[in-house]
Amino acid sequence: MHELSLCQSLIDQVQQLALTHGAQSVGLVTLKVGPLSGVEPALMQHAYPFASAGTLAAESTLVIELAPLKVRCESCGAETEAEPSWLVCAACGSCHTQLVSGDEMMLMSVELITAEGTNHV
């Protein structure tokens, strides 16, 4: 399960942000995951509490937003959503497309809890 090692890397990044901003803890971590990222969101949710235990993010919640799979057509120039198994242009049907989004795993925001209140980074 490589999701545990991904969560550990995510927690390292979140912990560094929290320390840099003088946070006492982390409330919410929002991640964007595409269908071609190679990440299984349910396994990330399962691994997150284990990876965050004993850190400033121990009591935090992981929210995973699913990124749409989008392609740009080299034939007609349209940017459309596509299916993971069928990366064709929805506008003209061409298979000459380039992936625009859908393969990412990106940290979108972190809610930090400080003495002054809650901040989003």
Side-chain angles (χ1 to χ4, degrees):
M1 173 164 100
H2 78 288
E3 280 77 3
L4 179 58
S5 63
L6 290 173
C7 279
Q8 290 169 328
S9 294
L10 174 65
I11 291 299
D12 289 344
Q13 188 177 5
V14 167
Q15 180 103 338
Q16 186 59 46
L17 281 170
L19 293 172
T20 299
H21 292 279
Q24 297 168 335
S25 63
V26 175
L28 189 71
V29 175
T30 305
L31 197 64
K32 183 184 265 187
V33 176
L36 297 181
S37 66
V39 175
E40 181 58 48
L43 293 177
M44 285 290 287
Q45 289 285 2
H46 182 73
Y48 187 80
F50 298 104
S52 64
T55 71
L56 292 174
E59 301 299 318
S60 67
T61 301
L62 176 64
V63 173
I64 298 177
E65 297 174 353
L66 301 178
L69 180 59
K70 291 186 178 181
V71 294
R72 180 176 301 113
C73 182
E74 294 176 357
S75 299
C76 74
E79 189 173 297
T80 60
E81 288 195 20
E83 295 296 320
S85 59
W86 196 248
L87 299 177
V88 299
C89 176
C92 74
S94 173
C95 62
H96 299 288
T97 60
Q98 291 183 339
L99 191 63
V100 173
S101 70
D103 62 346
E104 67 269 24
M105 183 184 92
M106 186 181 319
L107 178 59
M108 298 303 291
S109 68
V110 178
E111 181 183 85
L112 301 176
I113 300 167
T114 64
E116 294 81 38
T118 302
N119 300 314
H120 287 83
V121 186

